[in-house]
Amino acid sequence: MRHLMTPLDFSVEELNKLLCLANDIEQHRDKYAHACAGKKLATLFYEPSTRTRLSFEAAMLNLGGQVLGFSSADSSSAAKGESVSDTIRVISCYADICAMRHPKEGAPLVASQKSNIPVINAGDGGHQHPTQTLTDLLTIHQLKGRLGNLTIGLCGDLKFGRTVHSLIRALVRYENVKFILISPEELKVPSYIREDVLEKNHIEYQEVERLEDALPSLDILYMTRVQKERFFNEEDYIRMKDFYILNKAKMELAPEDMLVLHPLPRVNEIATEVDDDPRAAYFKQAQYGVYVRMALILTLLEVDVTC
Amino acid sequence: MRHLMTPLDFSVEELNKLLCLANDIEQHRDKYAHACAGKKLATLFYEPSTRTRLSFEAAMLNLGGQVLGFSSADSSSAAKGESVSDTIRVISCYADICAMRHPKEGAPLVASQKSNIPVINAGDGGHQHPTQTLTDLLTIHQLKGRLGNLTIGLCGDLKFGRTVHSLIRALVRYENVKFILISPEELKVPSYIREDVLEKNHIEYQEVERLEDALPSLDILYMTRVQKERFFNEEDYIRMKDFYILNKAKMELAPEDMLVLHPLPRVNEIATEVDDDPRAAYFKQAQYGVYVRMALILTLLEVDVTC
Amino acid sequence: MRHLMTPLDFSVEELNKLLCLANDIEQHRDKYAHACAGKKLATLFYEPSTRTRLSFEAAMLNLGGQVLGFSSADSSSAAKGESVSDTIRVISCYADICAMRHPKEGAPLVASQKSNIPVINAGDGGHQHPTQTLTDLLTIHQLKGRLGNLTIGLCGDLKFGRTVHSLIRALVRYENVKFILISPEELKVPSYIREDVLEKNHIEYQEVERLEDALPSLDILYMTRVQKERFFNEEDYIRMKDFYILNKAKMELAPEDMLVLHPLPRVNEIATEVDDDPRAAYFKQAQYGVYVRMALILTLLEVDVTC
């Protein structure tokens, strides 16, 4: 039995298979409409995350399966002091697979060690959120046709953003990938990414402060939010905040086939005027999130599908 | 693609079709048991409303469809500052149709403008609650056999009660409808209903202070609650509160075929001793609420049904 | 139409039938996969109880039925002052059967009196929790092969523990059942159990203070938690707390075929080192909880099954 704890749990080859399955799901949805009939997904969300939870639920329902669970810790046994290890053993009696979101790093891992059913880490604190990374990879794969030979701009809070770190780790496994890291000084990628991932793998990268400087050479722009509280001083924030807001004017600097991704929810880091630009891919990304979760559920449940 | 924002979105003719479909559903439930197989309803309830939410869920499940969603804003992405426009675009990737309840007037309308799936307004603040009005109309239609030629008593808080306003607007479109408006002075229907709806359409109406005075001539009595806080002074409240409580004694003044409706929940404005009276229709109304929502979902999803 | 309010609502004969059905469900799950197709269970949880709620939901989904409901009172109409009697009449329009959890004793009973659908008491305050007792009985029946001729140790808080009281009442109906009641002085079974149930029915029982003294002669050990707040003084608590913690060392005193049961959640009254002991049956118990609820739903809905 297999779990999904980190985006790197799958080898490149396994990932190719998963993306291929997700592609087949997109092309032939009806073929999968009953693939999980009689199976149940438990969504154990110890902290609310509506988007992620509903994406998992939509995925399971699309496969003809059913869903049960909880959407916040108040309504769970956690309030009564039960350990995650005990909870998962009980949930193993109720469901066939489980997606767990937990504010504590490592909780899904602890659960997986005692579980009789596959456990998917649906986000554990600031640590990992592997299905977001799978979503990002599928989006790039489907819309660009490849995961190698890409110049990827990562913009915003690169210091604390776990989705950005995971995406870097996932992409360095492909050929000829270059990064442009766009952030204020205070929010640059930490050394355990720059040194231990990028430099160690001899990946070409560049660090810039202004989005405008990066845009012309990008295949992909991955936007994230810059929170005011992250800045050291008000002055810096005021000077730089507009650097990290994508608008129509900045989009004119970008190549015609550049894609804009965003893990969502967005607040104001992408102006709504960009939404109608054909390069805006962030809502399509939400759709790919459903497809990749469908592929993941099928894979972990070892449902026999030919693709 | 069509949405439902207000009770008047449907023309009288379209409404007839909807009520006819709801009638067919009541008569032949099995015929519709798989009509929405493979479809998903998203229930986006930014404020709790158990009755309305469960009525929608029951409707979709009765049609063989599935349901996902949230039941309060705390467990939604709204907490993270996402706009309703962004949320609906993501939900469009997860579901085929959506019912949205929101404390802010107009939120469902804003959502519908960016949505790729039909949006049903399931109540927006004190503004609109169109499926309640559809429920009221179906109940009258099924139990009275007609929507015209009726004398309707509306009792209670006629100033703030949105269900009452909507019902008036909906019923003035039928022939020979008369209203008796039963309320304390402070809670009379506002002028934008009295002048702009009733008088403009040359609708016969009467305003009375005591329920007893109205009862003998009614075909329908629509009860709503009078909240103590709405009165200007304690004295008035004490003098009048019993005027608006329907009990067995008052029911003796009413015609034998008068129907009592109430949008529920009731607190004490209808004594429980009335529940066993064959004229009490408020619990049947809850059942009709499910049938009319089934008809609505089928209509907005353009499911091909012959009726 | 029948409801389930207390564990004694079923006669011994009816209970045998229920356990026999649950056994058949365990043996032939596929046979029941569509038994409740088109039926809906409403889970009305006025206080959170994730484990119980999910067990009911899993049961209904396993039968091919559907589920709707709420998981805490905040998201229910109760907040608007609606009575349980009114709520159940509305829910009767939405679902075919209902499981109700309520902090107030007797609330499910009140509901059942006005309900048009079977109501299952899923726990009402400190009063009753009949499906836990059914779970306990099925677990003993399946793993021991009998409900009579047993020596049962009940350990922990025997004063306030409703599961323990219910289990005693249920088991005294079988032949040759003996109890060993293991608790501190302050938490001994109350006289309405000791005198009115045990002594009145001439049941052999013994009261001991230390788990070690009971273990060698037990067929079943039913563990419950001892809360620190229940003790009269700190000294007693410190002196005795370890008496009621089951660990590997104590398990060595127990017969080879003794079973350990626990209603869960556990906190620390069973050391996790016991979990791998083949005699630990508390997680299996959670599985039996699903089977017995499946049997119960089928029985109350009068679904025609041959077993």
Side-chain angles (χ1 to χ4, degrees), chain A residues 26 137-146 220 257 259-261 278-282 284-285 288:
Chain A
E26 186 186 8
L137 294 176
L138 180 63
T139 307
I140 298 171
H141 184 265
Q142 295 300 90
L143 298 179
K144 276 296 185 192
R146 64 186 192 275
I220 307 281
D257 62 349
L259 293 179
V260 183
L261 272 66
R279 293 168 290 183
Y282 31 95
K284 284 177 208 152
Q285 209 175 341
Y288 286 123

Side-chain angles (χ1 to χ4, degrees), chain B residues 95-109:
Chain B
D96 302 282
I97 187 167
C98 135
M100 180 185 287
R101 176 92 164 205
H102 205 288
K104 239 185 178 154
E105 284 188 24
L109 182 64

Side-chain angles (χ1 to χ4, degrees), chain B residues 3-23:
Chain B
H3 308 285
L4 181 71
M5 290 299 123
T6 85
L8 301 184
D9 284 3
F10 288 121
S11 68
V12 169
E13 200 188 325
E14 287 170 330
L15 202 57
N16 282 346
K17 257 181 137 169
L18 188 86
L19 298 181
C20 162
L21 178 55
N23 173 64

Side-chain angles (χ1 to χ4, degrees), chain B residues 72-114:
Chain B
S72 70
D74 343 323
S75 56
S76 85
S77 315
K80 295 182 189 159
E82 184 174 67
S83 72
V84 162
S85 301
D86 275 17
T87 299
I88 195 68
R89 266 180 286 201
V90 172
I91 295 295
S92 295
C93 304
Y94 298 168
D96 302 282
I97 187 167
C98 135
M100 180 185 287
R101 176 92 164 205
H102 205 288
K104 239 185 178 154
E105 284 188 24
L109 182 64
V110 170
S112 72
Q113 287 157 354
K114 292 293 185 182

Side-chain angles (χ1 to χ4, degrees), chain B residues 117-181:
Chain B
I117 58 173
V119 176
I120 300 168
N121 179 358
D124 57 335
H127 191 224
Q128 301 283 357
H129 187 12
T131 57
Q132 180 63 53
T133 308
L134 296 181
T135 299
D136 300 340
L137 294 176
L138 180 62
T139 306
I140 297 171
H141 183 267
Q142 295 301 88
L143 298 179
K144 276 296 185 189
R146 64 186 191 274
L147 286 169
N149 300 309
L150 290 169
T151 299
I152 296 133
L154 301 163
C155 176
D157 179 353
L158 308 187
K159 187 170 180 189
F160 300 101
R162 70 181 166 182
T163 55
V164 162
H165 300 173
S166 291
L167 188 57
I168 292 174
R169 287 178 195 276
L171 282 170
V172 298
R173 303 196 294 179
Y174 297 89
E175 294 275 300
N176 193 28
V177 167
K178 295 174 205 159
F179 293 97
I180 305 188
L181 307 170

